[in-house]
Short mmCIF file of all heavy atoms in Angstrom, two decimals:
data_model
loop_
_atom_site.label_atom_id
_atom_site.label_comp_id
_atom_site.label_asym_id
_atom_site.label_seq_id
_atom_site.Cartn_x
_atom_site.Cartn_y
_atom_site.Cartn_z
N PHE M 109 104.60 105.21 64.89
CA PHE M 109 104.37 106.64 65.06
C PHE M 109 103.63 106.93 66.36
O PHE M 109 103.70 108.04 66.88
CB PHE M 109 103.59 107.21 63.87
CG PHE M 109 104.37 107.25 62.61
CD1 PHE M 109 104.01 106.48 61.52
CD2 PHE M 109 105.49 108.06 62.50
CE1 PHE M 109 104.74 106.51 60.35
CE2 PHE M 109 106.23 108.10 61.33
CZ PHE M 109 105.85 107.32 60.24
N GLY M 110 102.87 105.96 66.87
CA GLY M 110 102.23 106.08 68.16
C GLY M 110 101.46 107.36 68.34
O GLY M 110 100.57 107.68 67.57
N PHE M 111 101.83 108.13 69.38
CA PHE M 111 101.08 109.34 69.72
C PHE M 111 101.21 110.41 68.64
O PHE M 111 100.44 111.37 68.64
CB PHE M 111 101.58 109.88 71.07
CG PHE M 111 100.68 109.49 72.21
CD1 PHE M 111 100.19 108.21 72.32
CD2 PHE M 111 100.31 110.42 73.17
CE1 PHE M 111 99.36 107.84 73.36
CE2 PHE M 111 99.48 110.07 74.23
CZ PHE M 111 99.00 108.78 74.32
N GLN M 112 102.17 110.28 67.75
CA GLN M 112 102.34 111.29 66.71
C GLN M 112 101.35 111.12 65.55
O GLN M 112 101.29 111.99 64.66
CB GLN M 112 103.77 111.26 66.17
CG GLN M 112 104.85 111.41 67.22
CD GLN M 112 104.74 112.71 67.99
OE1 GLN M 112 104.32 113.72 67.44
NE2 GLN M 112 105.10 112.70 69.26
N ALA M 113 100.56 110.06 65.54
CA ALA M 113 99.64 109.79 64.43
C ALA M 113 98.64 110.92 64.24
O ALA M 113 98.17 111.15 63.12
CB ALA M 113 98.92 108.46 64.67
N PHE M 114 98.30 111.63 65.30
CA PHE M 114 97.30 112.70 65.20
C PHE M 114 97.68 113.77 64.19
O PHE M 114 96.82 114.45 63.61
CB PHE M 114 97.09 113.36 66.58
CG PHE M 114 98.13 114.38 66.94
CD1 PHE M 114 97.93 115.73 66.69
CD2 PHE M 114 99.33 113.99 67.53
CE1 PHE M 114 98.90 116.67 67.02
CE2 PHE M 114 100.30 114.92 67.87
CZ PHE M 114 100.10 116.27 67.62
N ARG M 115 99.00 113.94 63.96
CA ARG M 115 99.48 115.02 63.09
C ARG M 115 98.94 114.92 61.68
O ARG M 115 98.90 115.90 60.95
CB ARG M 115 101.01 115.02 63.07
CG ARG M 115 101.65 115.38 64.41
CD ARG M 115 103.18 115.27 64.34
NE ARG M 115 103.81 115.44 65.64
CZ ARG M 115 104.27 116.61 66.10
NH1 ARG M 115 104.15 117.70 65.37
NH2 ARG M 115 104.83 116.67 67.29
N ALA M 116 98.51 113.74 61.26
CA ALA M 116 97.98 113.57 59.91
C ALA M 116 96.61 114.20 59.75
O ALA M 116 96.21 114.55 58.64
CB ALA M 116 97.91 112.08 59.56
N ALA M 117 95.86 114.33 60.86
CA ALA M 117 94.45 114.72 60.71
C ALA M 117 93.96 115.81 61.66
O ALA M 117 92.95 116.44 61.38
CB ALA M 117 93.57 113.48 60.90
N ALA M 118 94.65 116.02 62.78
CA ALA M 118 94.15 116.95 63.80
C ALA M 118 95.20 117.99 64.18
O ALA M 118 96.40 117.79 63.99
CB ALA M 118 93.71 116.18 65.04
N GLY M 119 94.71 119.09 64.74
CA GLY M 119 95.61 120.18 65.10
C GLY M 119 96.34 119.98 66.42
O GLY M 119 97.48 120.40 66.57
N TYR M 120 95.66 119.30 67.38
CA TYR M 120 96.24 119.15 68.71
C TYR M 120 95.94 117.77 69.29
O TYR M 120 94.92 117.15 68.98
CB TYR M 120 95.69 120.21 69.67
CG TYR M 120 96.17 121.60 69.37
CD1 TYR M 120 95.44 122.45 68.54
CD2 TYR M 120 97.37 122.08 69.92
CE1 TYR M 120 95.88 123.72 68.25
CE2 TYR M 120 97.82 123.35 69.63
CZ TYR M 120 97.08 124.18 68.81
OH TYR M 120 97.53 125.44 68.53
N LEU M 121 96.84 117.34 70.14
CA LEU M 121 96.61 116.16 70.97
C LEU M 121 96.81 116.55 72.43
O LEU M 121 97.81 117.17 72.78
CB LEU M 121 97.59 115.03 70.61
CG LEU M 121 97.48 113.79 71.50
CD1 LEU M 121 97.65 112.53 70.66
CD2 LEU M 121 98.52 113.80 72.61
N ASP M 122 95.82 116.22 73.26
CA ASP M 122 95.92 116.41 74.70
C ASP M 122 95.84 115.05 75.37
O ASP M 122 94.93 114.26 75.08
CB ASP M 122 94.78 117.30 75.22
CG ASP M 122 94.99 118.76 74.86
OD1 ASP M 122 94.70 119.13 73.71
OD2 ASP M 122 95.45 119.51 75.73
N CYS M 123 96.78 114.76 76.24
CA CYS M 123 96.78 113.50 76.98
C CYS M 123 96.69 113.80 78.47
O CYS M 123 97.52 114.56 79.01
CB CYS M 123 98.04 112.71 76.67
SG CYS M 123 98.18 111.16 77.61
N PHE M 124 95.69 113.22 79.12
CA PHE M 124 95.50 113.35 80.56
C PHE M 124 95.65 111.95 81.17
O PHE M 124 94.93 111.04 80.77
CB PHE M 124 94.11 113.90 80.88
CG PHE M 124 93.76 115.15 80.14
CD1 PHE M 124 93.14 115.10 78.90
CD2 PHE M 124 94.03 116.41 80.69
CE1 PHE M 124 92.80 116.25 78.20
CE2 PHE M 124 93.69 117.57 80.01
CZ PHE M 124 93.08 117.49 78.76
N SER M 125 96.57 111.78 82.10
CA SER M 125 96.80 110.42 82.61
C SER M 125 97.26 110.45 84.06
O SER M 125 97.97 111.36 84.49
CB SER M 125 97.85 109.71 81.74
OG SER M 125 97.91 108.34 82.06
N THR M 126 96.84 109.43 84.80
CA THR M 126 97.29 109.30 86.19
C THR M 126 97.33 107.83 86.57
O THR M 126 96.71 106.98 85.91
CB THR M 126 96.37 110.06 87.15
OG1 THR M 126 96.98 110.08 88.46
CG2 THR M 126 94.99 109.42 87.25
N GLN M 127 98.11 107.54 87.59
CA GLN M 127 98.24 106.17 88.10
C GLN M 127 97.77 106.12 89.54
O GLN M 127 97.85 107.10 90.27
CB GLN M 127 99.70 105.72 88.00
CG GLN M 127 100.21 105.63 86.58
CD GLN M 127 101.65 105.18 86.52
OE1 GLN M 127 102.53 105.79 87.11
NE2 GLN M 127 101.90 104.09 85.82
N LYS M 128 97.27 104.97 89.92
CA LYS M 128 96.79 104.80 91.28
C LYS M 128 97.93 105.10 92.25
O LYS M 128 99.05 104.60 92.10
CB LYS M 128 96.28 103.38 91.48
CG LYS M 128 95.19 103.27 92.53
CD LYS M 128 94.45 101.96 92.41
CE LYS M 128 93.22 101.95 93.29
NZ LYS M 128 92.42 100.71 93.13
N GLY M 129 97.66 105.92 93.24
CA GLY M 129 98.67 106.28 94.21
C GLY M 129 99.37 107.60 93.91
O GLY M 129 100.08 108.14 94.76
N PHE M 130 99.16 108.13 92.69
CA PHE M 130 99.78 109.42 92.32
C PHE M 130 98.81 110.55 92.63
O PHE M 130 97.63 110.48 92.29
CB PHE M 130 100.14 109.43 90.84
CG PHE M 130 100.77 110.72 90.38
CD1 PHE M 130 102.05 111.06 90.77
CD2 PHE M 130 100.07 111.59 89.56
CE1 PHE M 130 102.63 112.25 90.36
CE2 PHE M 130 100.64 112.79 89.13
CZ PHE M 130 101.92 113.11 89.54
N ASP M 131 99.29 111.59 93.25
CA ASP M 131 98.43 112.69 93.71
C ASP M 131 98.35 113.78 92.64
O ASP M 131 98.98 114.83 92.75
CB ASP M 131 98.98 113.25 95.02
CG ASP M 131 97.98 114.19 95.70
OD1 ASP M 131 96.84 114.27 95.21
OD2 ASP M 131 98.35 114.84 96.69
N GLY M 132 97.54 113.55 91.59
CA GLY M 132 97.39 114.54 90.53
C GLY M 132 97.22 113.86 89.18
O GLY M 132 97.34 112.65 89.06
N ILE M 133 96.96 114.67 88.16
CA ILE M 133 96.81 114.16 86.80
C ILE M 133 97.82 114.87 85.90
O ILE M 133 97.95 116.09 85.92
CB ILE M 133 95.38 114.40 86.27
CG1 ILE M 133 94.39 113.59 87.11
CG2 ILE M 133 95.27 114.01 84.80
CD1 ILE M 133 92.94 113.81 86.73
N ARG M 134 98.55 114.09 85.12
CA ARG M 134 99.53 114.66 84.21
C ARG M 134 98.84 115.05 82.90
O ARG M 134 98.09 114.25 82.33
CB ARG M 134 100.66 113.65 83.94
CG ARG M 134 101.47 113.30 85.17
CD ARG M 134 102.58 112.31 84.84
NE ARG M 134 103.43 112.05 86.00
CZ ARG M 134 103.26 111.02 86.83
NH1 ARG M 134 102.27 110.15 86.60
NH2 ARG M 134 104.05 110.84 87.86
N HIS M 135 99.12 116.26 82.43
CA HIS M 135 98.49 116.76 81.21
C HIS M 135 99.57 117.18 80.22
O HIS M 135 100.39 118.06 80.50
CB HIS M 135 97.58 117.96 81.52
CG HIS M 135 97.03 118.62 80.29
ND1 HIS M 135 96.67 119.95 80.25
CD2 HIS M 135 96.77 118.12 79.04
CE1 HIS M 135 96.23 120.25 79.04
NE2 HIS M 135 96.28 119.17 78.29
N LEU M 136 99.56 116.55 79.06
CA LEU M 136 100.51 116.86 77.99
C LEU M 136 99.74 117.35 76.77
O LEU M 136 98.75 116.72 76.36
CB LEU M 136 101.32 115.61 77.61
CG LEU M 136 102.29 115.76 76.43
CD1 LEU M 136 103.45 116.66 76.81
CD2 LEU M 136 102.79 114.39 75.99
N ARG M 137 100.15 118.46 76.21
CA ARG M 137 99.51 119.01 75.01
C ARG M 137 100.56 119.19 73.92
O ARG M 137 101.62 119.78 74.15
CB ARG M 137 98.83 120.34 75.32
CG ARG M 137 98.10 120.99 74.12
CD ARG M 137 97.31 122.20 74.59
NE ARG M 137 96.70 122.96 73.50
CZ ARG M 137 95.53 122.68 72.96
NH1 ARG M 137 94.83 121.63 73.39
NH2 ARG M 137 95.02 123.43 71.99
N ILE M 138 100.24 118.70 72.71
CA ILE M 138 101.17 118.81 71.58
C ILE M 138 100.40 119.36 70.38
O ILE M 138 99.32 118.87 70.05
CB ILE M 138 101.78 117.45 71.20
CG1 ILE M 138 102.43 116.77 72.40
CG2 ILE M 138 102.82 117.63 70.09
CD1 ILE M 138 102.94 115.37 72.10
N GLY M 139 100.97 120.34 69.72
CA GLY M 139 100.39 120.87 68.49
C GLY M 139 100.96 120.19 67.27
O GLY M 139 102.10 119.71 67.30
N ARG M 140 100.19 120.15 66.22
CA ARG M 140 100.63 119.48 64.99
C ARG M 140 101.97 120.01 64.49
O ARG M 140 102.83 119.24 64.04
CB ARG M 140 99.58 119.68 63.89
CG ARG M 140 100.05 119.26 62.52
CD ARG M 140 99.05 119.65 61.45
NE ARG M 140 98.06 118.62 61.29
CZ ARG M 140 96.97 118.76 60.52
NH1 ARG M 140 96.76 119.90 59.89
NH2 ARG M 140 96.11 117.78 60.40
N ASP M 141 102.18 121.30 64.55
CA ASP M 141 103.41 121.90 64.03
C ASP M 141 104.50 122.05 65.09
O ASP M 141 105.56 122.63 64.82
CB ASP M 141 103.10 123.27 63.43
CG ASP M 141 102.13 123.18 62.27
OD1 ASP M 141 102.20 122.19 61.52
OD2 ASP M 141 101.29 124.09 62.13
N GLN M 142 104.25 121.54 66.28
CA GLN M 142 105.21 121.66 67.37
C GLN M 142 106.20 120.51 67.29
O GLN M 142 105.85 119.35 67.48
CB GLN M 142 104.48 121.63 68.71
CG GLN M 142 105.35 122.00 69.90
CD GLN M 142 104.52 122.05 71.18
OE1 GLN M 142 103.32 121.78 71.17
NE2 GLN M 142 105.17 122.40 72.27
N THR M 143 107.45 120.82 67.02
CA THR M 143 108.45 119.77 66.83
C THR M 143 109.68 119.94 67.70
O THR M 143 110.53 119.06 67.75
CB THR M 143 108.91 119.72 65.35
OG1 THR M 143 109.42 121.01 64.98
CG2 THR M 143 107.74 119.34 64.44
N LEU M 144 109.79 121.06 68.39
CA LEU M 144 110.97 121.31 69.22
C LEU M 144 110.56 121.72 70.64
O LEU M 144 109.57 122.44 70.83
CB LEU M 144 111.84 122.42 68.62
CG LEU M 144 112.48 122.14 67.25
CD1 LEU M 144 113.13 123.41 66.72
CD2 LEU M 144 113.49 121.01 67.36
N ASP M 145 111.32 121.25 71.61
CA ASP M 145 111.18 121.70 73.00
C ASP M 145 109.75 121.59 73.52
O ASP M 145 109.18 122.55 74.06
CB ASP M 145 111.68 123.14 73.16
CG ASP M 145 113.15 123.27 72.78
OD1 ASP M 145 113.90 122.31 73.06
OD2 ASP M 145 113.54 124.30 72.22
N ILE M 146 109.14 120.44 73.33
CA ILE M 146 107.81 120.20 73.87
C ILE M 146 107.91 120.13 75.39
O ILE M 146 108.73 119.41 75.94
CB ILE M 146 107.23 118.90 73.31
CG1 ILE M 146 107.03 119.05 71.79
CG2 ILE M 146 105.91 118.55 73.99
CD1 ILE M 146 106.61 117.78 71.10
N SER M 147 107.08 120.91 76.06
CA SER M 147 107.15 120.99 77.52
C SER M 147 106.72 119.67 78.16
O SER M 147 105.85 118.96 77.63
CB SER M 147 106.25 122.10 78.03
OG SER M 147 106.64 123.35 77.50
N PRO M 148 107.31 119.33 79.29
CA PRO M 148 106.87 118.14 80.01
C PRO M 148 105.45 118.31 80.51
O PRO M 148 104.94 119.44 80.58
CB PRO M 148 107.86 118.04 81.18
CG PRO M 148 108.37 119.43 81.36
CD PRO M 148 108.39 120.04 80.00
N PRO M 149 104.76 117.23 80.83
CA PRO M 149 103.37 117.35 81.28
C PRO M 149 103.25 118.16 82.57
O PRO M 149 104.08 118.05 83.46
CB PRO M 149 102.93 115.89 81.49
CG PRO M 149 104.20 115.12 81.64
CD PRO M 149 105.21 115.83 80.81
N SER M 150 102.20 118.97 82.63
CA SER M 150 101.90 119.68 83.87
C SER M 150 101.13 118.73 84.79
O SER M 150 100.57 117.73 84.33
CB SER M 150 101.06 120.93 83.58
OG SER M 150 99.87 120.58 82.89
#
Side-chain angles (χ1 to χ4, degrees):
F109 290 115
F111 261 45
Q112 304 301 327
F114 81 94
R115 294 176 187 267
Y120 290 92
L121 176 141
D122 285 80
C123 177
F124 308 89
S125 191
T126 189
Q127 296 180 303
K128 209 164 190 176
F130 179 71
D131 192 8
I133 296 177
R134 296 181 176 95
H135 173 207
L136 176 69
R137 181 173 174 85
I138 306 175
R140 169 188 273 173
D141 299 325
Q142 191 175 2
T143 57
L144 296 172
D145 299 325
I146 296 173
S147 300
S150 58

